[in-house]
Amino acid sequence: MTTEIKTIAEALDLEALLPEEQEEILLELNSLVFKGSLLRLIERMDEKTKEDFNVLMDTEPEEEVVLAFLESRVPDADKAVTETLEELAGDILAVTS
């Protein structure tokens, strides 16, 4: 578990919640991280890469294919998730502290 995820879990006091509530919150957080990371990745794409990405997504590719595309065509793609998690952790701490 990354530091950011631990920070978020502690800030939201997830351990105090019922397992079903924990799962619901974790699913929502996962969705936020996915959307935030995807937005960061798209912002880093040049126009040609954006076009190619749209064509790829129209084919409903497997997750591995999308990941391979992003890693090969988007600069610092691996940092997008980390940056998104850091931002989310900061936002949650700002509200809960």
Side-chain angles (χ1 to χ4, degrees):
M1 188 180 304
T2 69
T3 304
E4 292 83 12
I5 294 172
K6 287 180 186 176
T7 300
I8 292 168
E10 290 171 3
L12 295 175
D13 198 18
L14 289 182
E15 291 182 4
L17 301 175
L18 296 172
E20 299 82 25
E21 293 171 319
Q22 290 179 18
E23 182 178 350
E24 185 178 325
I25 290 172
L26 290 173
L27 287 172
E28 184 63 30
L29 289 171
N30 184 51
S31 176
L32 288 172
V33 171
F34 174 77
K35 290 174 184 175
S37 298
L38 187 57
L39 181 60
R40 288 177 192 277
L41 290 165
I42 291 171
E43 288 172 347
R44 292 178 176 162
M45 292 179 188
D46 58 37
E47 287 305 312
K48 174 70 172 136
T49 303
K50 286 179 186 177
E51 291 171 17
D52 293 346
F53 183 70
N54 284 331
V55 169
L56 174 66
M57 295 310 291
D58 286 341
T59 68
E60 299 181 18
E62 296 291 322
E63 181 178 337
E64 296 80 21
V65 174
V66 174
L67 290 174
F69 175 90
L70 293 171
E71 289 173 357
S72 69
R73 300 279 303 271
V74 181
D76 297 324
D78 56 331
K79 293 181 183 176
V81 174
T82 302
E83 292 169 359
T84 302
L85 278 171
E86 289 171 352
E87 183 178 336
L88 182 60
D91 291 348
I92 289 172
L93 285 174
V95 172
T96 59
S97 297

PDB file of all heavy atoms in Angstrom, residues 54-89:
ATOM      1  N   ASN A  54      -7.960   7.804 -29.328  1.00  0.00           N
ATOM      2  CA  ASN A  54      -9.399   7.717 -29.599  1.00  0.00           C
ATOM      3  C   ASN A  54      -9.732   6.550 -30.521  1.00  0.00           C
ATOM      4  O   ASN A  54     -10.711   5.838 -30.298  1.00  0.00           O
ATOM      5  CB  ASN A  54      -9.909   9.030 -30.200  1.00  0.00           C
ATOM      6  CG  ASN A  54     -10.039  10.117 -29.161  1.00  0.00           C
ATOM      7  OD1 ASN A  54     -10.280   9.857 -27.989  1.00  0.00           O
ATOM      8  ND2 ASN A  54      -9.863  11.358 -29.587  1.00  0.00           N
ATOM      9  N   VAL A  55      -8.914   6.353 -31.550  1.00  0.00           N
ATOM     10  CA  VAL A  55      -9.122   5.230 -32.463  1.00  0.00           C
ATOM     11  C   VAL A  55      -8.980   3.913 -31.699  1.00  0.00           C
ATOM     12  O   VAL A  55      -9.793   3.001 -31.850  1.00  0.00           O
ATOM     13  CB  VAL A  55      -8.121   5.293 -33.647  1.00  0.00           C
ATOM     14  CG1 VAL A  55      -8.140   4.006 -34.447  1.00  0.00           C
ATOM     15  CG2 VAL A  55      -8.435   6.499 -34.534  1.00  0.00           C
ATOM     16  N   LEU A  56      -7.950   3.831 -30.858  1.00  0.00           N
ATOM     17  CA  LEU A  56      -7.741   2.626 -30.057  1.00  0.00           C
ATOM     18  C   LEU A  56      -8.940   2.359 -29.157  1.00  0.00           C
ATOM     19  O   LEU A  56      -9.439   1.229 -29.079  1.00  0.00           O
ATOM     20  CB  LEU A  56      -6.464   2.770 -29.217  1.00  0.00           C
ATOM     21  CG  LEU A  56      -6.190   1.648 -28.215  1.00  0.00           C
ATOM     22  CD1 LEU A  56      -5.903   0.339 -28.943  1.00  0.00           C
ATOM     23  CD2 LEU A  56      -5.051   2.030 -27.288  1.00  0.00           C
ATOM     24  N   MET A  57      -9.419   3.383 -28.476  1.00  0.00           N
ATOM     25  CA  MET A  57     -10.522   3.198 -27.530  1.00  0.00           C
ATOM     26  C   MET A  57     -11.814   2.797 -28.240  1.00  0.00           C
ATOM     27  O   MET A  57     -12.646   2.105 -27.651  1.00  0.00           O
ATOM     28  CB  MET A  57     -10.731   4.466 -26.698  1.00  0.00           C
ATOM     29  CG  MET A  57      -9.551   4.792 -25.791  1.00  0.00           C
ATOM     30  SD  MET A  57      -8.977   3.418 -24.771  1.00  0.00           S
ATOM     31  CE  MET A  57     -10.346   3.249 -23.646  1.00  0.00           C
ATOM     32  N   ASP A  58     -11.976   3.198 -29.480  1.00  0.00           N
ATOM     33  CA  ASP A  58     -13.155   2.799 -30.249  1.00  0.00           C
ATOM     34  C   ASP A  58     -13.190   1.291 -30.495  1.00  0.00           C
ATOM     35  O   ASP A  58     -14.253   0.737 -30.781  1.00  0.00           O
ATOM     36  CB  ASP A  58     -13.210   3.538 -31.587  1.00  0.00           C
ATOM     37  CG  ASP A  58     -13.610   5.001 -31.423  1.00  0.00           C
ATOM     38  OD1 ASP A  58     -14.178   5.357 -30.366  1.00  0.00           O
ATOM     39  OD2 ASP A  58     -13.340   5.792 -32.350  1.00  0.00           O
ATOM     40  N   THR A  59     -12.043   0.628 -30.377  1.00  0.00           N
ATOM     41  CA  THR A  59     -11.971  -0.815 -30.608  1.00  0.00           C
ATOM     42  C   THR A  59     -12.242  -1.620 -29.338  1.00  0.00           C
ATOM     43  O   THR A  59     -12.198  -2.845 -29.375  1.00  0.00           O
ATOM     44  CB  THR A  59     -10.594  -1.221 -31.156  1.00  0.00           C
ATOM     45  OG1 THR A  59      -9.605  -1.018 -30.141  1.00  0.00           O
ATOM     46  CG2 THR A  59     -10.245  -0.445 -32.412  1.00  0.00           C
ATOM     47  N   GLU A  60     -12.518  -0.916 -28.221  1.00  0.00           N
ATOM     48  CA  GLU A  60     -12.742  -1.564 -26.931  1.00  0.00           C
ATOM     49  C   GLU A  60     -11.617  -2.546 -26.602  1.00  0.00           C
ATOM     50  O   GLU A  60     -11.838  -3.742 -26.397  1.00  0.00           O
ATOM     51  CB  GLU A  60     -14.103  -2.246 -26.896  1.00  0.00           C
ATOM     52  CG  GLU A  60     -15.252  -1.271 -27.091  1.00  0.00           C
ATOM     53  CD  GLU A  60     -16.619  -1.914 -27.029  1.00  0.00           C
ATOM     54  OE1 GLU A  60     -16.739  -3.039 -26.502  1.00  0.00           O
ATOM     55  OE2 GLU A  60     -17.569  -1.286 -27.510  1.00  0.00           O
ATOM     56  N   PRO A  61     -10.383  -2.035 -26.515  1.00  0.00           N
ATOM     57  CA  PRO A  61      -9.221  -2.896 -26.308  1.00  0.00           C
ATOM     58  C   PRO A  61      -9.140  -3.455 -24.885  1.00  0.00           C
ATOM     59  O   PRO A  61      -9.764  -2.935 -23.954  1.00  0.00           O
ATOM     60  CB  PRO A  61      -8.056  -1.936 -26.557  1.00  0.00           C
ATOM     61  CG  PRO A  61      -8.589  -0.615 -26.117  1.00  0.00           C
ATOM     62  CD  PRO A  61     -10.037  -0.621 -26.530  1.00  0.00           C
ATOM     63  N   GLU A  62      -8.350  -4.495 -24.753  1.00  0.00           N
ATOM     64  CA  GLU A  62      -8.052  -5.061 -23.437  1.00  0.00           C
ATOM     65  C   GLU A  62      -7.223  -4.049 -22.651  1.00  0.00           C
ATOM     66  O   GLU A  62      -6.516  -3.218 -23.235  1.00  0.00           O
ATOM     67  CB  GLU A  62      -7.259  -6.368 -23.594  1.00  0.00           C
ATOM     68  CG  GLU A  62      -8.010  -7.477 -24.291  1.00  0.00           C
ATOM     69  CD  GLU A  62      -9.160  -8.005 -23.456  1.00  0.00           C
ATOM     70  OE1 GLU A  62      -9.004  -8.113 -22.233  1.00  0.00           O
ATOM     71  OE2 GLU A  62     -10.219  -8.298 -24.039  1.00  0.00           O
ATOM     72  N   GLU A  63      -7.290  -4.145 -21.344  1.00  0.00           N
ATOM     73  CA  GLU A  63      -6.562  -3.219 -20.463  1.00  0.00           C
ATOM     74  C   GLU A  63      -5.061  -3.223 -20.757  1.00  0.00           C
ATOM     75  O   GLU A  63      -4.430  -2.169 -20.770  1.00  0.00           O
ATOM     76  CB  GLU A  63      -6.803  -3.617 -19.008  1.00  0.00           C
ATOM     77  CG  GLU A  63      -6.125  -2.723 -18.008  1.00  0.00           C
ATOM     78  CD  GLU A  63      -6.418  -3.121 -16.580  1.00  0.00           C
ATOM     79  OE1 GLU A  63      -7.437  -3.779 -16.309  1.00  0.00           O
ATOM     80  OE2 GLU A  63      -5.597  -2.767 -15.710  1.00  0.00           O
ATOM     81  N   GLU A  64      -4.504  -4.384 -21.032  1.00  0.00           N
ATOM     82  CA  GLU A  64      -3.065  -4.497 -21.301  1.00  0.00           C
ATOM     83  C   GLU A  64      -2.662  -3.699 -22.536  1.00  0.00           C
ATOM     84  O   GLU A  64      -1.585  -3.112 -22.592  1.00  0.00           O
ATOM     85  CB  GLU A  64      -2.646  -5.965 -21.467  1.00  0.00           C
ATOM     86  CG  GLU A  64      -2.824  -6.819 -20.240  1.00  0.00           C
ATOM     87  CD  GLU A  64      -4.266  -7.294 -20.031  1.00  0.00           C
ATOM     88  OE1 GLU A  64      -5.058  -7.315 -20.997  1.00  0.00           O
ATOM     89  OE2 GLU A  64      -4.590  -7.625 -18.883  1.00  0.00           O
ATOM     90  N   VAL A  65      -3.531  -3.689 -23.531  1.00  0.00           N
ATOM     91  CA  VAL A  65      -3.260  -2.964 -24.771  1.00  0.00           C
ATOM     92  C   VAL A  65      -3.257  -1.460 -24.502  1.00  0.00           C
ATOM     93  O   VAL A  65      -2.379  -0.727 -24.987  1.00  0.00           O
ATOM     94  CB  VAL A  65      -4.293  -3.334 -25.868  1.00  0.00           C
ATOM     95  CG1 VAL A  65      -4.114  -2.476 -27.102  1.00  0.00           C
ATOM     96  CG2 VAL A  65      -4.202  -4.811 -26.205  1.00  0.00           C
ATOM     97  N   VAL A  66      -4.226  -1.003 -23.711  1.00  0.00           N
ATOM     98  CA  VAL A  66      -4.299   0.418 -23.373  1.00  0.00           C
ATOM     99  C   VAL A  66      -3.062   0.828 -22.579  1.00  0.00           C
ATOM    100  O   VAL A  66      -2.441   1.861 -22.860  1.00  0.00           O
ATOM    101  CB  VAL A  66      -5.587   0.738 -22.583  1.00  0.00           C
ATOM    102  CG1 VAL A  66      -5.591   2.187 -22.118  1.00  0.00           C
ATOM    103  CG2 VAL A  66      -6.816   0.432 -23.423  1.00  0.00           C
ATOM    104  N   LEU A  67      -2.698   0.017 -21.587  1.00  0.00           N
ATOM    105  CA  LEU A  67      -1.518   0.324 -20.775  1.00  0.00           C
ATOM    106  C   LEU A  67      -0.252   0.376 -21.619  1.00  0.00           C
ATOM    107  O   LEU A  67       0.575   1.279 -21.460  1.00  0.00           O
ATOM    108  CB  LEU A  67      -1.359  -0.693 -19.652  1.00  0.00           C
ATOM    109  CG  LEU A  67      -2.395  -0.606 -18.538  1.00  0.00           C
ATOM    110  CD1 LEU A  67      -2.227  -1.757 -17.562  1.00  0.00           C
ATOM    111  CD2 LEU A  67      -2.337   0.726 -17.825  1.00  0.00           C
ATOM    112  N   ALA A  68      -0.109  -0.565 -22.530  1.00  0.00           N
ATOM    113  CA  ALA A  68       1.068  -0.577 -23.404  1.00  0.00           C
ATOM    114  C   ALA A  68       1.106   0.672 -24.275  1.00  0.00           C
ATOM    115  O   ALA A  68       2.170   1.283 -24.466  1.00  0.00           O
ATOM    116  CB  ALA A  68       1.069  -1.835 -24.263  1.00  0.00           C
ATOM    117  N   PHE A  69      -0.043   1.066 -24.793  1.00  0.00           N
ATOM    118  CA  PHE A  69      -0.116   2.283 -25.610  1.00  0.00           C
ATOM    119  C   PHE A  69       0.315   3.486 -24.783  1.00  0.00           C
ATOM    120  O   PHE A  69       1.155   4.288 -25.215  1.00  0.00           O
ATOM    121  CB  PHE A  69      -1.542   2.490 -26.128  1.00  0.00           C
ATOM    122  CG  PHE A  69      -1.727   3.780 -26.885  1.00  0.00           C
ATOM    123  CD1 PHE A  69      -1.521   3.822 -28.250  1.00  0.00           C
ATOM    124  CD2 PHE A  69      -2.091   4.947 -26.234  1.00  0.00           C
ATOM    125  CE1 PHE A  69      -1.674   5.014 -28.958  1.00  0.00           C
ATOM    126  CE2 PHE A  69      -2.248   6.139 -26.921  1.00  0.00           C
ATOM    127  CZ  PHE A  69      -2.036   6.168 -28.292  1.00  0.00           C
ATOM    128  N   LEU A  70      -0.262   3.637 -23.602  1.00  0.00           N
ATOM    129  CA  LEU A  70       0.035   4.791 -22.762  1.00  0.00           C
ATOM    130  C   LEU A  70       1.512   4.842 -22.371  1.00  0.00           C
ATOM    131  O   LEU A  70       2.140   5.894 -22.426  1.00  0.00           O
ATOM    132  CB  LEU A  70      -0.850   4.785 -21.514  1.00  0.00           C
ATOM    133  CG  LEU A  70      -2.341   4.999 -21.771  1.00  0.00           C
ATOM    134  CD1 LEU A  70      -3.135   4.760 -20.501  1.00  0.00           C
ATOM    135  CD2 LEU A  70      -2.615   6.375 -22.343  1.00  0.00           C
ATOM    136  N   GLU A  71       2.061   3.706 -21.987  1.00  0.00           N
ATOM    137  CA  GLU A  71       3.463   3.658 -21.573  1.00  0.00           C
ATOM    138  C   GLU A  71       4.413   3.979 -22.719  1.00  0.00           C
ATOM    139  O   GLU A  71       5.455   4.584 -22.514  1.00  0.00           O
ATOM    140  CB  GLU A  71       3.788   2.301 -20.965  1.00  0.00           C
ATOM    141  CG  GLU A  71       3.150   2.096 -19.607  1.00  0.00           C
ATOM    142  CD  GLU A  71       3.322   0.686 -19.069  1.00  0.00           C
ATOM    143  OE1 GLU A  71       3.894  -0.179 -19.778  1.00  0.00           O
ATOM    144  OE2 GLU A  71       2.864   0.441 -17.950  1.00  0.00           O
ATOM    145  N   SER A  72       4.025   3.603 -23.925  1.00  0.00           N
ATOM    146  CA  SER A  72       4.912   3.829 -25.064  1.00  0.00           C
ATOM    147  C   SER A  72       4.743   5.198 -25.709  1.00  0.00           C
ATOM    148  O   SER A  72       5.661   5.700 -26.350  1.00  0.00           O
ATOM    149  CB  SER A  72       4.705   2.737 -26.126  1.00  0.00           C
ATOM    150  OG  SER A  72       3.440   2.867 -26.727  1.00  0.00           O
ATOM    151  N   ARG A  73       3.581   5.823 -25.533  1.00  0.00           N
ATOM    152  CA  ARG A  73       3.292   7.053 -26.274  1.00  0.00           C
ATOM    153  C   ARG A  73       3.146   8.319 -25.430  1.00  0.00           C
ATOM    154  O   ARG A  73       3.110   9.417 -25.961  1.00  0.00           O
ATOM    155  CB  ARG A  73       1.998   6.871 -27.075  1.00  0.00           C
ATOM    156  CG  ARG A  73       2.009   5.735 -28.093  1.00  0.00           C
ATOM    157  CD  ARG A  73       2.685   6.100 -29.392  1.00  0.00           C
ATOM    158  NE  ARG A  73       2.129   7.250 -30.046  1.00  0.00           N
ATOM    159  CZ  ARG A  73       1.134   7.239 -30.923  1.00  0.00           C
ATOM    160  NH1 ARG A  73       0.553   6.113 -31.263  1.00  0.00           N
ATOM    161  NH2 ARG A  73       0.718   8.365 -31.465  1.00  0.00           N
ATOM    162  N   VAL A  74       3.021   8.167 -24.105  1.00  0.00           N
ATOM    163  CA  VAL A  74       2.786   9.333 -23.254  1.00  0.00           C
ATOM    164  C   VAL A  74       3.979   9.531 -22.322  1.00  0.00           C
ATOM    165  O   VAL A  74       4.309   8.641 -21.540  1.00  0.00           O
ATOM    166  CB  VAL A  74       1.492   9.173 -22.429  1.00  0.00           C
ATOM    167  CG1 VAL A  74       1.245  10.406 -21.566  1.00  0.00           C
ATOM    168  CG2 VAL A  74       0.301   8.907 -23.339  1.00  0.00           C
ATOM    169  N   PRO A  75       4.614  10.701 -22.405  1.00  0.00           N
ATOM    170  CA  PRO A  75       5.751  10.975 -21.527  1.00  0.00           C
ATOM    171  C   PRO A  75       5.337  10.933 -20.052  1.00  0.00           C
ATOM    172  O   PRO A  75       4.289  11.446 -19.679  1.00  0.00           O
ATOM    173  CB  PRO A  75       6.174  12.405 -21.909  1.00  0.00           C
ATOM    174  CG  PRO A  75       5.539  12.674 -23.233  1.00  0.00           C
ATOM    175  CD  PRO A  75       4.319  11.803 -23.303  1.00  0.00           C
ATOM    176  N   ASP A  76       6.146  10.277 -19.249  1.00  0.00           N
ATOM    177  CA  ASP A  76       5.916  10.183 -17.801  1.00  0.00           C
ATOM    178  C   ASP A  76       4.543   9.618 -17.450  1.00  0.00           C
ATOM    179  O   ASP A  76       3.932  10.017 -16.454  1.00  0.00           O
ATOM    180  CB  ASP A  76       6.095  11.552 -17.133  1.00  0.00           C
ATOM    181  CG  ASP A  76       7.506  12.083 -17.261  1.00  0.00           C
ATOM    182  OD1 ASP A  76       8.453  11.267 -17.201  1.00  0.00           O
ATOM    183  OD2 ASP A  76       7.673  13.300 -17.427  1.00  0.00           O
ATOM    184  N   ALA A  77       4.072   8.680 -18.251  1.00  0.00           N
ATOM    185  CA  ALA A  77       2.756   8.086 -18.000  1.00  0.00           C
ATOM    186  C   ALA A  77       2.688   7.452 -16.612  1.00  0.00           C
ATOM    187  O   ALA A  77       1.669   7.537 -15.936  1.00  0.00           O
ATOM    188  CB  ALA A  77       2.440   7.041 -19.071  1.00  0.00           C
ATOM    189  N   ASP A  78       3.785   6.872 -16.184  1.00  0.00           N
ATOM    190  CA  ASP A  78       3.806   6.200 -14.888  1.00  0.00           C
ATOM    191  C   ASP A  78       3.610   7.166 -13.717  1.00  0.00           C
ATOM    192  O   ASP A  78       3.159   6.780 -12.642  1.00  0.00           O
ATOM    193  CB  ASP A  78       5.095   5.415 -14.721  1.00  0.00           C
ATOM    194  CG  ASP A  78       6.339   6.266 -14.883  1.00  0.00           C
ATOM    195  OD1 ASP A  78       6.291   7.264 -15.616  1.00  0.00           O
ATOM    196  OD2 ASP A  78       7.373   5.918 -14.281  1.00  0.00           O
ATOM    197  N   LYS A  79       3.908   8.437 -13.924  1.00  0.00           N
ATOM    198  CA  LYS A  79       3.781   9.421 -12.851  1.00  0.00           C
ATOM    199  C   LYS A  79       2.340   9.929 -12.692  1.00  0.00           C
ATOM    200  O   LYS A  79       2.012  10.524 -11.671  1.00  0.00           O
ATOM    201  CB  LYS A  79       4.707  10.606 -13.109  1.00  0.00           C
ATOM    202  CG  LYS A  79       6.170  10.243 -13.022  1.00  0.00           C
ATOM    203  CD  LYS A  79       7.033  11.455 -13.261  1.00  0.00           C
ATOM    204  CE  LYS A  79       8.507  11.068 -13.246  1.00  0.00           C
ATOM    205  NZ  LYS A  79       9.346  12.216 -13.576  1.00  0.00           N
ATOM    206  N   ALA A  80       1.500   9.703 -13.669  1.00  0.00           N
ATOM    207  CA  ALA A  80       0.141  10.246 -13.631  1.00  0.00           C
ATOM    208  C   ALA A  80      -0.647   9.719 -12.435  1.00  0.00           C
ATOM    209  O   ALA A  80      -1.338  10.480 -11.760  1.00  0.00           O
ATOM    210  CB  ALA A  80      -0.594   9.939 -14.934  1.00  0.00           C
ATOM    211  N   VAL A  81      -0.555   8.427 -12.161  1.00  0.00           N
ATOM    212  CA  VAL A  81      -1.296   7.850 -11.041  1.00  0.00           C
ATOM    213  C   VAL A  81      -0.749   8.384  -9.719  1.00  0.00           C
ATOM    214  O   VAL A  81      -1.519   8.779  -8.834  1.00  0.00           O
ATOM    215  CB  VAL A  81      -1.247   6.305 -11.070  1.00  0.00           C
ATOM    216  CG1 VAL A  81      -1.888   5.716  -9.823  1.00  0.00           C
ATOM    217  CG2 VAL A  81      -1.930   5.779 -12.319  1.00  0.00           C
ATOM    218  N   THR A  82       0.569   8.432  -9.600  1.00  0.00           N
ATOM    219  CA  THR A  82       1.180   8.949  -8.379  1.00  0.00           C
ATOM    220  C   THR A  82       0.760  10.392  -8.135  1.00  0.00           C
ATOM    221  O   THR A  82       0.387  10.759  -7.013  1.00  0.00           O
ATOM    222  CB  THR A  82       2.715   8.850  -8.465  1.00  0.00           C
ATOM    223  OG1 THR A  82       3.073   7.482  -8.677  1.00  0.00           O
ATOM    224  CG2 THR A  82       3.374   9.357  -7.205  1.00  0.00           C
ATOM    225  N   GLU A  83       0.807  11.218  -9.160  1.00  0.00           N
ATOM    226  CA  GLU A  83       0.404  12.616  -9.023  1.00  0.00           C
ATOM    227  C   GLU A  83      -1.065  12.729  -8.619  1.00  0.00           C
ATOM    228  O   GLU A  83      -1.422  13.565  -7.785  1.00  0.00           O
ATOM    229  CB  GLU A  83       0.649  13.364 -10.331  1.00  0.00           C
ATOM    230  CG  GLU A  83       2.104  13.528 -10.670  1.00  0.00           C
ATOM    231  CD  GLU A  83       2.332  14.026 -12.087  1.00  0.00           C
ATOM    232  OE1 GLU A  83       1.348  14.232 -12.830  1.00  0.00           O
ATOM    233  OE2 GLU A  83       3.498  14.202 -12.460  1.00  0.00           O
ATOM    234  N   THR A  84      -1.903  11.901  -9.205  1.00  0.00           N
ATOM    235  CA  THR A  84      -3.328  11.925  -8.887  1.00  0.00           C
ATOM    236  C   THR A  84      -3.559  11.509  -7.432  1.00  0.00           C
ATOM    237  O   THR A  84      -4.341  12.147  -6.716  1.00  0.00           O
ATOM    238  CB  THR A  84      -4.115  11.014  -9.840  1.00  0.00           C
ATOM    239  OG1 THR A  84      -3.886  11.438 -11.185  1.00  0.00           O
ATOM    240  CG2 THR A  84      -5.607  11.054  -9.546  1.00  0.00           C
ATOM    241  N   LEU A  85      -2.880  10.461  -6.991  1.00  0.00           N
ATOM    242  CA  LEU A  85      -3.012  10.017  -5.607  1.00  0.00           C
ATOM    243  C   LEU A  85      -2.529  11.086  -4.631  1.00  0.00           C
ATOM    244  O   LEU A  85      -3.165  11.331  -3.598  1.00  0.00           O
ATOM    245  CB  LEU A  85      -2.223   8.728  -5.377  1.00  0.00           C
ATOM    246  CG  LEU A  85      -2.895   7.435  -5.789  1.00  0.00           C
ATOM    247  CD1 LEU A  85      -1.912   6.279  -5.718  1.00  0.00           C
ATOM    248  CD2 LEU A  85      -4.097   7.165  -4.907  1.00  0.00           C
ATOM    249  N   GLU A  86      -1.418  11.724  -4.957  1.00  0.00           N
ATOM    250  CA  GLU A  86      -0.897  12.783  -4.089  1.00  0.00           C
ATOM    251  C   GLU A  86      -1.888  13.938  -3.982  1.00  0.00           C
ATOM    252  O   GLU A  86      -2.124  14.461  -2.891  1.00  0.00           O
ATOM    253  CB  GLU A  86       0.452  13.284  -4.618  1.00  0.00           C
ATOM    254  CG  GLU A  86       1.572  12.295  -4.442  1.00  0.00           C
ATOM    255  CD  GLU A  86       2.858  12.703  -5.146  1.00  0.00           C
ATOM    256  OE1 GLU A  86       2.859  13.691  -5.917  1.00  0.00           O
ATOM    257  OE2 GLU A  86       3.879  12.012  -4.935  1.00  0.00           O
ATOM    258  N   GLU A  87      -2.465  14.329  -5.108  1.00  0.00           N
ATOM    259  CA  GLU A  87      -3.439  15.420  -5.103  1.00  0.00           C
ATOM    260  C   GLU A  87      -4.684  15.042  -4.308  1.00  0.00           C
ATOM    261  O   GLU A  87      -5.194  15.828  -3.508  1.00  0.00           O
ATOM    262  CB  GLU A  87      -3.818  15.804  -6.527  1.00  0.00           C
ATOM    263  CG  GLU A  87      -4.770  16.972  -6.592  1.00  0.00           C
ATOM    264  CD  GLU A  87      -5.096  17.387  -8.019  1.00  0.00           C
ATOM    265  OE1 GLU A  87      -4.311  17.120  -8.932  1.00  0.00           O
ATOM    266  OE2 GLU A  87      -6.171  17.978  -8.198  1.00  0.00           O
ATOM    267  N   LEU A  88      -5.181  13.826  -4.522  1.00  0.00           N
ATOM    268  CA  LEU A  88      -6.364  13.364  -3.815  1.00  0.00           C
ATOM    269  C   LEU A  88      -6.111  13.306  -2.311  1.00  0.00           C
ATOM    270  O   LEU A  88      -6.945  13.748  -1.514  1.00  0.00           O
ATOM    271  CB  LEU A  88      -6.803  12.000  -4.348  1.00  0.00           C
ATOM    272  CG  LEU A  88      -8.059  11.397  -3.731  1.00  0.00           C
ATOM    273  CD1 LEU A  88      -9.264  12.308  -3.944  1.00  0.00           C
ATOM    274  CD2 LEU A  88      -8.326  10.021  -4.315  1.00  0.00           C
ATOM    275  N   ALA A  89      -4.953  12.781  -1.922  1.00  0.00           N
ATOM    276  CA  ALA A  89      -4.597  12.716  -0.497  1.00  0.00           C
ATOM    277  C   ALA A  89      -4.553  14.116   0.110  1.00  0.00           C
ATOM    278  O   ALA A  89      -5.086  14.351   1.201  1.00  0.00           O
ATOM    279  CB  ALA A  89      -3.271  11.995  -0.308  1.00  0.00           C
TER     280      ALA A  89
END
